[in-house]
Amino acid sequence: MPSILLIDDDALFRETLGDALTENGYTVRQAADGAEGTRLLRTMPVDLVLTDIVMPRQEGLETIKALRRIYPKLGIIAMSGGLAQAAPFYLKIAGDFGAQRTLQKPFDLPTLLTAITEVLASEGISPPPASAPTHPDSGSSPTTNDPN
């Protein structure tokens, strides 16, 4: 089962997205900021990091640079919605620093799952088998509405 480190300072967003990824067959570890995520990664390696950009203590751009230095082949997806007008600029820089994919919040779960599958495939890692929709009552996947 592929593993993901989810780094985001918004606890509700992190828990909700973590649950959705787990329901889709991923092992998910969570961290509230880049410093915590980097420490966690040293003791528990993962296949992919999904990181927010705008966070306290250690923000996402600094985290991506550090991870690229320590783990040059690690899959990284950056996401941001914070400072709405600046998010595209931050995401471009994240790509320049080594994130293979970038997503502007809000995004829907299928878009994220596609990005994860593509990044894992570039590392030769297969995604987990397809699972049932995460919200059977609505018949659709949740949208991430967190602007940060």
Side-chain angles (χ1 to χ4, degrees), residues 26-131:
Y26 294 96
T27 299
V28 180
R29 294 173 177 84
Q30 299 181 20
D33 60 49
E36 180 184 347
T38 302
R39 277 194 310 277
L40 188 59
L41 193 56
R42 287 188 175 128
T43 60
M44 299 200 279
V46 296
D47 298 308
L48 182 138
V49 171
L50 177 60
T51 185
D52 190 22
I53 299 295
V54 180
M55 299 180 287
R57 289 187 3 144
Q58 182 175 317
E59 47 81 28
L61 296 176
E62 184 180 350
T63 300
I64 293 167
K65 283 175 64 174
L67 294 178
R68 271 292 156 249
R69 220 175 21 256
I70 302 166
Y71 308 101
K73 296 184 182 199
L74 179 65
I76 300 174
I77 297 174
M79 57 186 174
S80 185
L83 307 171
Q85 289 80 11
F89 174 73
Y90 286 131
L91 291 170
K92 181 193 178 319
I93 293 172
D96 292 344
F97 285 177
Q100 287 102 320
R101 296 287 184 278
T102 61
L103 299 171
Q104 184 165 347
K105 295 176 183 175
F107 52 80
D108 61 25
L109 186 58
T111 299
L112 174 61
L113 293 174
T114 297
I116 290 170
T117 298
E118 291 171 355
V119 172
L120 290 176
S122 73
E123 300 173 20
I125 300 170
S126 298
S131 62

